[in-house]
Amino acid sequence: MIVSHKSMVEEIEIDNVGVKNAFMKVLISPKEGWEGYVMRLFKLKAGGFTPKHAHPWPHINYIISGNGTLHLDGKDNSIESGSFAYVPAGKTHQFMNISNTDLEFICIVPEEGHK
């Protein structure tokens, strides 16, 4: 069980090929008792993006703040605060921040997707 605040969680800079100005916080995971899933908070700073990639697990996303684009299976989709998305397993996707403010979003994946 956990009750906390995002300000209390360590932020990790993502330093991979195809990534720019991206940061992550692990909010809830099996460590806190949610077996099989992980809820992460991503922040893309101005000009930031995740890699264009696909993987064998699905994920769900909820946009907390900012404006951006979710490239999903060949189509660019505008996203903003309040937007949500389901990315099926195997679909190519990429998040991009198109504004001068941070783009923050929740990403929930099966535990295998967080290794």
Side-chain angles (χ1 to χ4, degrees):
M1 181 170 71
I2 185 172
V3 176
S4 191
H5 189 272
K6 68 179 184 175
S7 65
M8 303 297 292
V9 179
E10 177 187 9
E11 184 173 81
I12 301 162
E13 183 171 6
I14 302 169
D15 186 21
N16 291 333
V17 174
V19 177
K20 180 180 175 186
N21 293 339
F23 301 83
M24 177 185 65
K25 293 183 177 195
V26 178
L27 302 179
I28 302 174
S29 70
K31 180 181 172 184
E32 290 77 33
W34 194 16
E35 294 301 322
Y37 295 92
V38 179
M39 182 170 78
R40 295 106 42 104
L41 174 64
F42 283 89
K43 176 170 58 178
L44 301 179
K45 294 189 175 189
F49 49 83
T50 63
K52 188 177 284 188
H53 66 292
H55 39 67
W57 56 84
H59 56 86
I60 56 176
N61 303 100
Y62 181 79
I63 311 306
I64 295 172
S65 63
N67 293 289
T69 300
L70 169 55
H71 179 83
L72 180 57
D73 204 28
K75 181 181 177 191
D76 288 333
N77 301 275
S78 294
I79 52 174
E80 63 183 13
S81 176
S83 297
F84 56 91
Y86 171 69
V87 177
K91 297 295 182 179
T92 300
H93 58 284
Q94 179 182 40
F95 288 88
M96 295 166 278
N97 184 349
I98 60 169
S99 71
N100 290 324
T101 61
D102 293 345
L103 172 64
E104 284 191 309
F105 58 94
I106 296 288
C107 178
I108 298 173
V109 294
E111 190 174 357
E112 69 180 278
H114 182 67
K115 294 179 179 178

